[in-house]
Amino acid sequence: QVQLVESGGGLVQAGGSLRLSCSASISIGSINTMGWYRQAPGKQRELVATITRGGTSNYADSMKGRFTISRDNAENTVYLQMNSLKPEDTAIYYCNAKQLWGGGAYSNYWGQGTQVTVSS
């Protein structure tokens, strides 16, 4: 079982920046993929960004160039640097850990989420 704890959310004006952190209860070096997802009111949860154990990152199109995901294996922490924030970025941001077990089996773990609110 992996426990994930997010922090760093808050209220920011449009054009501002926030840095989210996700601390894991185990070594993230053993986890295949870490990621960030978000869910706005009345909408489905959507991908923000992921980063593999090897350091390959992937972003949703609307976040490319504005958001940066990174990982610090020594600290068992994943970060999401968010710049040029827009009101439409307002959502609860969730940390995710995906562990592959082979044969198509995997485990998904989620944090409790952190609220990001961008005012216009």
Side-chain angles (χ1 to χ4, degrees), residues 57-77:
S57 57
N58 177 60
Y59 298 90
D61 287 343
S62 62
M63 287 68 156
K64 288 179 181 178
R66 299 190 300 126
F67 292 6
T68 303
I69 189 171
S70 61
R71 59 194 292 165
D72 185 336
N73 289 349
E75 296 293 328
N76 295 325
T77 301

Side-chain angles (χ1 to χ4, degrees), residues 11-33:
L11 174 64
V12 64
Q13 288 188 331
S17 298
L18 281 175
R19 188 194 196 201
L20 305 183
S21 300
C22 171
S23 296
S25 60
I26 67 169
S27 170
I28 64 171
S30 65
I31 299 174
N32 295 97
T33 303

Side-chain angles (χ1 to χ4, degrees), residues 38-105:
R38 70 185 187 185
Q39 187 166 17
K43 296 187 177 181
Q44 289 188 329
R45 192 172 297 189
E46 64 175 352
L47 168 73
V48 175
T50 60
I51 186 166
T52 68
R53 184 165 51 192
T56 300
S57 57
N58 177 60
Y59 298 90
D61 287 343
S62 62
M63 287 68 156
K64 288 179 181 178
R66 299 190 300 126
F67 292 6
T68 303
I69 189 171
S70 61
R71 59 194 292 165
D72 185 336
N73 289 349
E75 296 293 328
N76 295 325
T77 301
V78 176
Y79 302 98
L80 183 69
Q81 178 66 43
M82 304 186 294
N83 299 326
S84 301
L85 283 162
K86 306 173 183 180
E88 51 263 43
D89 293 318
T90 295
I92 299 174
Y93 285 70
Y94 296 92
C95 182
N96 172 264
K98 186 173 184 178
Q99 182 68 306
L100 303 178
W101 301 111

